[in-house]
Amino acid sequence: MAEDKGKRDSIGISMKGGRTNNGFVQNEDILETDPDPGSPEDSPQHNAVDIFGPAEPDLKDVRPYVGMPKEVLFRFSGQARYRVPREILFWLTVASVLVLIAATIGIIAISPKCLDWWQAGPMYRIYPRSFKDSDKDGNGDLKGIQDKLDYITTLNIKTIWITSFYKSSLKDFRYGVEDFQEIDPIFGTMKNFENLVAAIHDKGLKLIIDFIPNHTSDKHAWFQWSRNRTGKYTDYYIWHDCTRENGKTIPPNNWLSVYGNSSWHFDEVRSQCYFHQFMKEQPDLNFRNPDVQEEIKEIIQFWLSKGVDGFSFDAVQFLLEAKHLRDESQVNKTQIPDTVTHYSELYHDFTTTQVGMHDIVRSFRQTMDQYSREPGRYRFMGTEAHGENIAKTMMYYGLPFIQEADFPFNSYLGKLDMPSGNSVFEVIKSWMENMPEGKWPNWMTGGPDNDRLTSRLGKQYVNIMNMLVFTLPGTPITYYGEEIGMRNILATDLNETYDVDTLLSKSPMQWDNSSNAGFSEGNHTWLPTSSDYHTVNVDVQKTQPGSALKLYQELSLLHANELLLSRGWFCYLRNDNHSVVYTRELDGIDRVFLMVLNFGKLSLLNLKEMISDIPTRVRIRLSTNSAYQGREVDTHAITLDKGEGLILEYNTRNLLHRQTAFQDRCFVSNRACYSSVLNILYSLC
């Protein structure tokens, strides 16, 4: 009897352990109940057979429950009603993942290349000595630029371009650099520069700076070592034997300086002549020396490590000279050679754009590419090559598979001094027709080495020229003060001793009508302010509805918000001595911007003759005359006064660039189409 009782207890424990199931609560359908002691189910033998016996459990009335043993789980999982949904969900998941991957690849494949930061918005060029004085010494400085960043953001600027601020012994602190890795004390300290870079980036802006690699100051340490034949620096500059007779230097050849007279200067320390393309205080570096190229590379890396987002490399066409010293040809063959002293009197076949020069510029690009690998930190490269013809200028874009500059700076509009529809159109057409396919254009109307727009063309052309650069395809570039219509200062009462022609467009920025135009709180300024600063200043114009500053802000905002202007086709319709007419349009957008700009006398235009399906009445989106904005005009007869411009807007599905008659008049840099359904751009137009 005791043995039977022990067996029953053992079987009872086994049953209970199986049903407890590691602490999980069983399904309510099989909750434990107290069986009738007399019932057959209470028999220990019966329970033992059900659980451990070889017979299959009867699952007919049992439903799945949490924590069921694997034998039971397998029995249920194999049933069709559980297996089929599971397999359907699995294959649906696989299909969804494949569809998402395919869609992602497809979108990437058809998406046009995104515009980079140097393409997406305007650049603002600052001459630092004239922008804002923060320490009352009469000279603008880096801290002054930082103090005015909020103003710059109101212009919807994306990139700030600061001209040369390196330590220099020359008064204009631009060309004769004494140390490429030091800030000239007149502009502040390296800490001021680092703070400025951080502040610019905090505002979501980018910074590019000038770099003139062709030459240094004669006070530079490299030149001092070179003139004394010290080690590797002996050949850092271009030296050649020359003769001295009666205190006069007889140069090795007839090569001329840009500023006139011989480009060779005798150095008494070394008893040789050195070559200078510009002033004698600016000796040319010898870029055929690999050590010089390595020095320049290290300077580029130095500033990139400081957070600079790009460079404007100036005067790059002068980097190399011919190894031989043959005379350059005279423009006027009959002119007496001894009287040839002006730069324009020679063809400069041996001193500009020599074979190998572009290889050096590409090496600059390669150095910068090393710092462009981080997403969102692409380093921009621009080149300035003043005086080059359009074909040579376009070479700075590089070759189809070899990148050079992102773009050479386009200064041709800044050279116009006789405004007309034909002259403006020729500048536009020349650039667009010669630019390599897929490259990006740019436009600027002024700079520190050009007369200001107001002084060259007249006050009435300020608004129309700003409208022009903001509605052409590419990057608009503004020289400080052009947004308010500043003009050159007069050449009187200047304290500086160098060429006054280089100073007239560098006058202090006109902020308000207080003393020194708000530029400086000091007792004097390095250059006088313009006499019109009481009315032409930021403070006055920001509250005037029809001011140049207000229109500039509206144009920059329109440029930022409209795909038609940032990505669209450019199609020119007409030009004559007075007016220029062109459109901006984009596949997928049934709107067109039509620009009508008048640079000549009062004109009457019939747009119906140019575009047959244009509506009879179209809306004025923006006008140089603020009173006209929002109005409608009759396209049969539009009257434009001198210096007046309109941005017209109308709806159409018949875009000009699709029409055979206009195909040779339409240009696009980065082709894209817009899908209004998906709200995306795509390239398979």
Side-chain angles (χ1 to χ4, degrees), residues 575-599:
N575 65 281
D576 55 30
N577 197 42
H578 307 301
S579 60
V580 175
V581 183
Y582 56 93
T583 65
R584 299 300 307 278
E585 53 190 44
L586 184 69
D587 289 292
I589 297 180
D590 297 333
R591 289 184 300 114
V592 170
F593 283 152
L594 175 61
M595 270 58 66
V596 185
L597 309 178
N598 187 38
F599 294 90

Side-chain angles (χ1 to χ4, degrees), residues 234-292:
T234 301
D235 295 323
Y236 262 42
Y237 297 83
I238 301 166
W239 297 94
H240 202 275
D241 292 333
C242 55
T243 58
R244 297 272 290 174
E245 294 182 0
N246 300 322
K248 183 179 179 181
T249 301
I250 301 177
N253 55 30
N254 72 341
W255 295 356
L256 296 177
S257 161
V258 170
Y259 295 115
N261 298 316
S262 177
S263 57
W264 296 95
H265 183 74
F266 182 76
D267 181 69
E268 295 181 355
V269 175
R270 181 155 166 158
S271 296
Q272 280 186 310
C273 283
Y274 63 83
F275 180 71
H276 59 92
Q277 294 262 30
F278 296 93
M279 292 187 286
K280 63 181 178 61
E281 294 87 359
Q282 300 165 339
D284 275 37
L285 286 165
N286 178 16
F287 268 88
R288 298 192 186 278
N289 185 336
D291 290 331
V292 170

Side-chain angles (χ1 to χ4, degrees), residues 104-227:
T104 302
I105 294 174
I107 290 174
I108 293 173
I110 67 173
S111 295
K113 183 181 178 182
C114 294
L115 295 183
D116 218 321
W117 55 265
W118 50 274
Q119 299 170 307
M123 295 182 177
Y124 191 72
R125 190 177 187 183
I126 295 173
Y127 190 76
R129 196 179 180 188
S130 299
F131 195 63
K132 177 61 177 162
D133 172 23
S134 69
D135 57 6
K136 303 180 183 180
D137 68 348
N139 296 284
D141 46 49
L142 299 177
K143 179 65 167 56
I145 297 174
Q146 184 175 340
D147 292 342
K148 290 298 183 179
L149 289 181
D150 286 338
Y151 165 73
I152 294 175
T153 59
T154 67
L155 303 178
N156 301 299
I157 297 296
K158 298 298 181 185
T159 304
I160 296 174
W161 172 8
I162 302 178
T163 62
S164 182
F165 50 77
Y166 307 105
K167 185 177 181 182
S168 171
S169 58
L170 295 181
K171 290 184 177 181
D172 66 348
F173 300 101
R174 178 164 168 76
Y175 294 114
V177 177
E178 190 174 323
D179 191 330
F180 285 107
Q181 297 184 11
E182 289 290 337
I183 306 292
D184 195 282
I186 203 170
F187 299 125
T189 64
M190 186 61 74
K191 184 63 177 177
N192 293 140
F193 179 79
E194 292 167 350
N195 291 340
L196 175 60
V197 173
I200 286 173
H201 289 162
D202 286 344
K203 295 287 186 184
L205 306 176
K206 300 291 185 179
L207 172 66
I208 64 174
I209 62 175
D210 268 0
F211 186 20
I212 308 95
N214 178 69
H215 52 262
T216 71
S217 165
D218 59 356
K219 301 294 191 298
H220 198 291
W222 297 346
F223 185 77
Q224 297 303 315
W225 292 327
S226 185
R227 73 195 309 197

Side-chain angles (χ1 to χ4, degrees), residues 55-70:
E56 292 290 332
D58 184 8
L59 303 176
K60 181 178 180 181
D61 298 324
V62 179
R63 287 156 53 180
Y65 57 89
V66 176
M68 68 183 104
K70 64 180 181 180

